[in-house]
């Protein structure tokens, strides 16, 4: 079972409306995540200035998370999220909520535009904290991020090479490392067959 490590943080601006709902929102979101198979790494202060953004970035860096998730309580300054990403350059889920007065969606749209311009990996989520499907969608994305993290430090064994005349089964080793990150360990047929000969048939069948 995959239990992804989600780096969760909440962000707002001290002068925006609806900031008084922060405690209620945070409590509800944490409760919903506690019902699911996820390791939630939560920065327990609300990010609202340079100091808390730096502190959050270092916190997530030290906890080796799979993916970040920012919850926009109100409109916020997008450069605070970018500061966090400088410390922990992971994919990020950006969650905007349907509250017109808070400016939550406006802040997320603004952030996502910048992330897109910077070619950052992000996943936009929109919905109220009471919607079960929101948490399921975040969990699905986070599981994929967790698998990506595991593959990044993996090694794949490649025995022999492709059959002559079957070009379509070849792969780009550099491209694989660039996109996912695993190391390819080449094992020639000669070495493989020698190792096979060393094995006891009975044990191999077991």
């Amino acid at each position: 079972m995959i239990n992804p490590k989600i780096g969760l943080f909440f962000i707002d601006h001290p002068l925006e409306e609806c900031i008084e709902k922060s405690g209620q929102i945070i409590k509800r979101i944490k409760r919903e995540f506690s019902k699911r198979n996820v390791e939630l790494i939560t920065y327990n202060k609300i990010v609202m200035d340079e100091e808390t953004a730096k502190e959050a970035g270092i916190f997530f860096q030290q906890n080796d998370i799979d993916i970040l998730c920012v919850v926009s309580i109100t409109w916020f300054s997008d450069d605070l999220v970018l500061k966090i990403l400088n410390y922990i350059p992971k994919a990020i889920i950006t969650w905007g909520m349907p509250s017109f007065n808070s400016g939550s969606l406006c802040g997320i749209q603004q952030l996502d535009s910048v992330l897109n311009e910077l070619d950052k990996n992000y996943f936009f989520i929109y919905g109220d904290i009471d919607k079960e499907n929101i948490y399921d969608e975040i969990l699905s994305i986070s599981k994929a991020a967790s698998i990506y993290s595991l593959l990044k430090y993996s090694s794949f064994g490649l025995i022999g090479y492709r059959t002559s005349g079957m070009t379509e089964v070849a792969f780009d080793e550099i491209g694989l490392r660039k996109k996912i990150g695993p190391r390819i360990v080449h094992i020639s047929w000669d070495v493989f067959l020698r190792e096979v000969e060393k094995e006891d048939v009975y044990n191999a069948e077991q």
Side-chain angles (χ1 to χ4, degrees):
M1 183 179 293
I2 298 173
N3 294 333
K5 292 178 69 174
I6 302 176
L8 178 69
F9 67 100
F10 301 86
I11 193 165
D12 65 21
H13 191 284
L15 301 180
E16 290 293 322
E17 289 188 45
C18 301
I19 194 172
E20 70 279 359
K21 298 179 181 179
S22 299
Q24 176 188 344
I25 291 171
I26 293 169
K27 185 178 180 179
R28 178 58 186 271
I29 290 175
K30 285 184 176 181
R31 184 167 70 245
E32 288 299 323
F33 273 122
S34 70
K35 302 174 185 177
R36 292 163 171 81
N37 294 318
V38 60
E39 186 175 349
L40 201 63
I41 309 297
T42 307
Y43 176 66
N44 286 318
K45 295 179 185 178
I46 297 175
V47 174
M48 59 175 63
D49 53 32
E50 291 283 330
E51 182 180 349
T52 49
K54 178 180 178 180
E55 192 175 282
I58 294 172
F59 171 75
F60 291 128
Q61 185 185 62
Q62 294 172 341
N63 279 279
D64 191 30
I65 59 168
D66 294 317
I67 193 167
L68 286 163
C69 180
V70 55
V71 180
S72 170
I73 297 173
T74 70
W75 179 90
F76 60 92
S77 178
D78 57 35
D79 60 311
L80 298 180
V81 178
L82 299 179
K83 188 177 186 71
I84 292 172
L85 289 172
N86 283 338
Y87 287 94
I88 180 77
K90 296 277 188 173
I92 184 169
I93 297 167
T94 59
W95 185 352
M97 291 181 288
S99 173
F100 180 80
N101 290 333
S102 72
S104 170
L105 182 58
C106 176
I108 287 296
Q109 186 276 331
Q110 173 182 297
L111 170 63
D112 287 356
S113 295
V114 177
L115 294 174
N116 184 63
E117 290 292 329
L118 295 174
D119 294 322
K120 300 289 187 181
N121 291 322
Y122 69 94
F123 302 89
F124 169 65
I125 297 289
Y126 176 72
D128 192 78
I129 59 174
D130 295 326
K131 300 295 182 182
E132 292 284 329
N133 66 299
I134 292 292
Y135 301 94
D136 294 336
E137 188 173 355
I138 290 174
L139 184 58
S140 179
I141 294 169
S142 301
K143 283 182 176 179
S146 181
I147 292 171
Y148 176 84
S149 296
L150 291 171
L151 287 174
K152 189 174 182 180
Y153 301 104
S154 300
S155 295
F156 295 166
L158 176 63
I159 301 173
Y161 193 58
R162 69 175 177 85
T163 301
S164 178
M166 297 185 66
T167 308
E168 76 279 2
V169 301
F171 70 94
D172 181 359
E173 184 175 337
I174 297 298
L176 184 65
R177 182 175 281 262
K178 183 178 180 181
K179 288 291 185 180
I180 305 176
R183 172 180 173 237
I184 302 300
V185 180
H186 291 267
I187 304 170
S188 71
W189 273 112
D190 290 342
V191 172
F192 179 71
L193 292 174
R194 283 200 301 270
E195 291 300 317
V196 169
E197 290 172 357
K198 294 178 184 178
E199 291 300 319
D200 179 83
V201 175
Y202 175 80
N203 290 331
E205 289 177 349
Q206 295 302 311

